[in-house]
Amino acid sequence: MSMFSTGILVLTSPLHVLPLRIAPVLTSAAQVVERTLYVHLHPGLNLGTGGPVRPVYIPPVVDLCALISRLYSNAADICSHLDVRVLLTNVRGQPAALSGNNGPFPTPQTLSHSPEVVLTDFPIQDSGQSSLVTQCLQKYAGHCYVCTPSLSSVLLYTRLKEVSGEEDDDRGGRGAQLKPLETFSDVVVGGTFDRLHGAHKTLLNISCLLANRRFVIGVCDQELLKNKVLKELIEPYDQRVQKLQDFLNDVKPSLKYEIVPLSDPFGPSISDPELQCIVVSEETRKGGEAVNRKRVENGLAELVLYEIQLLKDAHHADIEEEKISSSSLRTRLLGTLLKPPSPQPDLPLDPYVIGLTGGSGSGKSSIAHRLEGLGAVRIDCDQLGHEAYLPGTSAYQKVIQEFGPDILNGDKTINRRVLGGKVFGNQERLKALTDIMWPEIALLVKKRIKQAKEQGKGVCVVDAAVLLEAGWTYLVHEVWVATIPEEEAVKRIVQRDGVKEEDALRRLKSQWPNAKLIEHANVVLCTLWEPDVTQRQVLKAWNLLQHRIQKKRETRSSL
C-alpha cells in the first residue's frame, strides 16, 4: 500500500467500542501514513447511506477524556514516529443558533499539513459497498478540512473485525449513558512543552475540550529550566511556542490562545480573575493546590483542579522515567545525529575525523578511549600540546622569544608552571600564547591523521578540549560534545585533582559553557550515569556513524 505523508482518520465506532479499536486502527494507519495523522471523532457516523453526510457537533462527554488519553498512549506505544493530533472542532455543546442543518464546519478548516489520505474504521457489509462508502468518506472529509484535490481513501474495518466485542449495528453506541463533561470559559495549564509528545498532547487536548472561550498556556523558561535533565538540549522557547501554536490551531481553532513565558511556578494563574479551571497531572496536583492558596491570598476565586492521568512509557530505559516525559526523549537523543555536519568538500573521507570536545570533568577522554576500543585512532591534543613545547620545535623558539628565557628550566625545557603564571588572568598574554601554540598543535593533528590514513584506519577521534575555541573544526567531519551538569563536573574535578570547589568552579567558568558547546555539536554524549550507560551511548553513536560514513562514500562514488 502507498505511503502518504499526512492523513486524517475518521473514527465512527461508538465511544464504548473505540477503546478496543484504537490499537489495531493505529497499527493499520501507521502502514499508510508516515508523518502526521489527524484524528477526527464522530461516533455513530453512518457512511453507508449513499446520501449526503455532513459533520455535526458532538457533545463533550466524560468518556472523551479517557478516549483521548488512551489514543495518545497507544500512539506512543505503536507508532511513536507519527505526529498524532486529535481534532476537536466538532466537539462542543450545540448552540441554539447552530441548530438545524448547520454543522461545526461552515467552511473547511485549514490544517498545518494538508491531508493526502482519509482513513476510517467504518464497517462495510460487503465489498460492493466499498465504493459508496469511499465516496461518502471523501465528501465528508472535504466538508470538514482542506485536503489535497486527489484525496485517497482507505477503509480499515476488515482488519478490525477480530477485536470487535460489541454489536456493530449499534451505531449510536450507548449515548444515553454518557455523562456530560463540565466545561469552563477560561482554562490554564503550565509546563515546559519540550519536544511535544503524547503526554503533552493529552494535557493540551483535554484542556481544549474543557475550555469554551480562552486557553492560557504558561511555558517554562530561564530559571525554571535550570534543574532539568540535559537542559542544554531543551528546544529554544520560541521553537516550543511555535509548535504549541501549530498544534492548538489544528486541534480547536475557535479558542483564544494565550501563550506566556513562565519565570516562576505560578505565572498568570494566581492573578487572572477570569480563569476558572487549571488542568494538572498526578504529580503536579500539589502545584495546582499551591496556585489556589495564592489566589485566595490575592482575593480571587479558587480554580477547579481537573486531574489527568500520567501516560506510561512502554519503551523507557533504566535511566529514564516510567512516564512519557521530555527528559526521557532528550536522553534518547544522546549519541544520535542532532544536526547534519557542515559540508567539508576538501576533506578526504578516509579517515573520517571526529572532533571530540567537552568541559573539564565531562568524561570526554573516557569517551575517546571507548571509541578507541571500537577501532578509532585517538589523537590526544593535550599530549600534542606537550610535544609542541619540546626543545627544537618551532613553537619552542617562538614561546621563548615572546615570554623571555626566564620560563626555562635548567635543562632548557619550558617550565609550564612559570609560563602559566605569566598568562593567568591576562587575556592579552594568553592570546599571545595560544596564537603560537594552536597552529602548531593543528599541524601535529594533521600529521597524525595522515599517519592513520597510511595505516588504513577508517576513523580518527581528535580529543581536544579547545577544539572550538581554537577553530580546528576545519580538520574534522563532525563535532561531538561530551556534557555533564556543572555541579557534577565540580565534584569530579575536586575528587580528581584535589582542588577546592571554588577553584574547580573557576576553572569551569573560564571554559565555554555546555550550552555554547552544544550549539556547535552534531552529536552529544553524557557521562552522568553508570559506565555501562555511557558505553551504550558510545556504541549507538559509533554504529550510527558507520551508517553515515557508508552513505557518504556511496554518494561520492556515484558522482
Side-chain angles (χ1 to χ4, degrees):
M1 186 175 289
S2 301
M3 289 292 287
F4 299 88
S5 175
T6 304
I8 184 161
L9 172 62
V10 178
L11 294 177
T12 68
S13 297
L15 278 179
H16 65 282
V17 176
L18 267 177
L20 300 173
R21 296 260 174 87
I22 290 173
V25 165
L26 289 176
T27 300
S28 299
Q31 298 172 18
V32 181
V33 179
E34 58 185 354
R35 189 180 70 174
T36 305
L37 180 66
Y38 293 110
V39 179
H40 176 93
L41 300 171
H42 192 148
L45 176 66
N46 189 347
L47 294 169
T49 63
V53 180
R54 299 191 64 86
V56 297
Y57 281 110
I58 308 299
V61 293
V62 172
D63 288 31
L64 274 178
C65 295
L67 177 65
I68 288 169
S69 182
R70 178 78 169 264
L71 201 151
Y72 282 120
S73 179
N74 284 171
D77 294 346
I78 295 166
C79 51
S80 58
H81 64 288
L82 283 181
D83 177 7
V84 176
R85 306 184 179 194
V86 180
L87 304 174
L88 300 175
T89 298
N90 66 321
V91 182
R92 74 177 187 191
Q94 183 173 338
L98 293 175
S99 59
N101 295 325
N102 292 325
F105 296 88
T107 58
Q109 177 184 335
T110 300
L111 300 169
S112 298
H113 311 284
S114 182
E116 302 162 0
V117 62
V118 57
L119 309 95
T120 188
D121 64 341
F122 182 81
I124 55 173
Q125 305 304 319
D126 56 68
S127 58
Q129 195 184 22
S130 297
S131 177
L132 179 65
V133 172
T134 295
Q135 291 175 21
C136 285
L137 179 63
Q138 290 170 333
K139 289 179 181 178
Y140 180 85
H143 281 309
C144 300
Y145 307 101
V146 175
C147 305
T148 55
S150 55
L151 185 69
S152 300
S153 62
V154 175
L155 309 181
L156 300 175
Y157 189 76
T158 54
R159 310 180 194 187
L160 309 176
K161 284 185 177 180
E162 66 273 14
V163 301
S164 174
E166 305 290 342
E167 292 293 330
D168 287 328
D169 57 352
D170 177 17
R171 299 305 296 159
R174 300 171 181 170
Q177 302 175 17
L178 297 177
K179 180 181 178 182
L181 179 70
E182 182 183 6
T183 59
F184 307 89
S185 174
D186 295 43
V187 174
V188 64
V189 301
T192 306
F193 299 106
D194 179 42
R195 305 180 191 281
L196 207 60
H197 52 65
H200 291 143
K201 292 175 181 178
T202 301
L203 175 68
L204 295 168
N205 259 110
I206 292 178
S207 298
C208 288
L209 199 61
L210 294 169
N212 294 321
R213 185 182 77 91
R214 184 175 64 125
F215 182 21
V216 179
I217 308 100
V219 179
C220 298
D221 197 24
Q222 300 172 358
E223 290 296 314
L224 294 183
L225 303 180
K226 279 189 173 181
N227 296 322
K228 297 290 185 181
V229 175
L230 297 170
K231 62 182 179 182
E232 295 86 3
L233 293 180
I234 294 176
E235 294 171 320
Y237 175 82
D238 289 345
Q239 187 174 339
R240 286 179 281 141
V241 168
Q242 184 60 58
K243 289 184 177 181
L244 275 173
Q245 289 174 334
D246 289 346
F247 178 81
L248 293 169
N249 286 334
D250 278 346
V251 168
K252 194 171 179 180
S254 61
L255 285 180
K256 178 183 179 183
Y257 296 108
E258 294 180 11
I259 302 177
V260 298
L262 289 182
S263 55
D264 63 69
F266 300 106
S269 66
I270 61 172
S271 59
D272 190 328
E274 295 183 323
L275 293 175
Q276 298 177 334
C277 173
I278 183 169
V279 184
V280 297
S281 67
E282 299 166 56
E283 64 179 18
T284 62
R285 184 177 184 87
K286 288 185 178 179
E289 293 169 350
V291 165
N292 274 339
R293 288 195 294 271
K294 290 280 189 180
R295 287 181 69 87
V296 171
E297 291 173 9
N298 294 338
L300 298 175
E302 292 187 7
L303 303 177
V304 172
L305 298 185
Y306 188 96
E307 183 178 321
I308 64 171
Q309 300 295 307
L310 296 171
L311 299 192
K312 299 295 184 181
D313 187 348
H315 307 293
H316 76 277
D318 50 0
I319 62 169
E320 298 172 354
E321 298 180 271
E322 292 186 3
K323 64 172 184 174
I324 295 176
S325 71
S326 298
S327 60
S328 295
L329 296 183
R330 291 194 295 274
T331 301
R332 292 170 199 174
L333 292 174
L334 297 173
T336 67
L337 191 67
L338 298 182
K339 63 180 179 182
S342 300
Q344 299 273 32
D346 298 328
L347 202 60
L349 277 180
D350 293 303
Y352 198 84
V353 185
I354 302 300
L356 176 62
T357 190
S360 185
S362 65
K364 168 182 61 66
S365 293
S366 72
I367 290 172
H369 283 297
R370 291 177 186 277
L371 290 168
E372 188 176 26
L374 292 170
V377 174
R378 176 173 174 254
I379 301 173
D380 185 347
C381 287
D382 189 47
Q383 179 185 333
L384 295 183
H386 285 284
E387 291 181 20
Y389 279 110
L390 293 176
T393 64
S394 173
Y396 175 84
Q397 298 297 336
K398 292 176 183 177
V399 170
I400 295 173
Q401 184 177 355
E402 178 69 33
F403 294 95
D406 60 319
I407 64 171
L408 295 177
N409 294 313
D411 61 359
K412 301 302 182 182
T413 58
I414 292 175
N415 187 318
R416 297 280 294 275
R417 180 166 296 187
V418 173
L419 178 60
K422 286 179 175 282
V423 301
F424 181 77
N426 188 325
Q427 290 299 316
E428 184 178 341
R429 298 304 285 151
L430 178 61
K431 185 177 184 305
L433 179 60
T434 57
D435 282 349
I436 295 171
M437 297 305 300
W438 284 350
E440 296 297 326
I441 296 172
L443 290 175
L444 292 175
V445 171
K446 288 182 179 180
K447 182 178 177 181
R448 295 295 193 278
I449 294 173
K450 183 179 178 183
Q451 290 172 352
K453 182 176 183 178
E454 291 169 352
Q455 295 167 4
K457 301 296 184 180
V459 177
C460 288
V461 177
V462 179
D463 180 355
V466 295
L467 179 82
L468 299 173
E469 295 98 313
W472 292 339
T473 53
Y474 71 96
L475 299 172
V476 305
H477 295 91
E478 295 183 15
V479 174
W480 291 17
V481 170
T483 186
I484 199 80
E486 186 179 90
E487 58 272 18
E488 179 64 24
V490 168
K491 291 179 185 176
R492 292 183 179 185
I493 296 168
V494 169
Q495 184 176 9
R496 182 189 66 193
D497 300 340
V499 299
K500 296 179 180 179
E501 283 192 13
E502 53 265 32
D503 294 328
L505 190 57
R506 190 180 301 115
R507 185 187 304 178
L508 289 174
K509 296 299 184 184
S510 70
Q511 302 171 354
W512 279 21
N514 287 334
K516 188 173 182 180
L517 292 174
I518 289 174
E519 284 178 10
H520 298 267
N522 302 114
V523 174
V524 173
L525 300 158
C526 181
T527 62
L528 178 62
W529 301 279
E530 295 299 317
D532 65 307
V533 176
T534 301
Q535 182 63 21
R536 292 202 300 267
Q537 286 180 40
V538 172
L539 189 58
K540 177 170 71 171
W542 177 261
N543 290 334
L544 291 173
L545 172 67
Q546 301 310 307
H547 286 296
R548 292 198 294 278
I549 294 173
Q550 183 61 32
K551 284 187 177 181
K552 287 177 181 290
R553 286 174 178 158
E554 291 172 356
T555 300
R556 286 203 181 181
S557 64
S558 65
L559 296 178

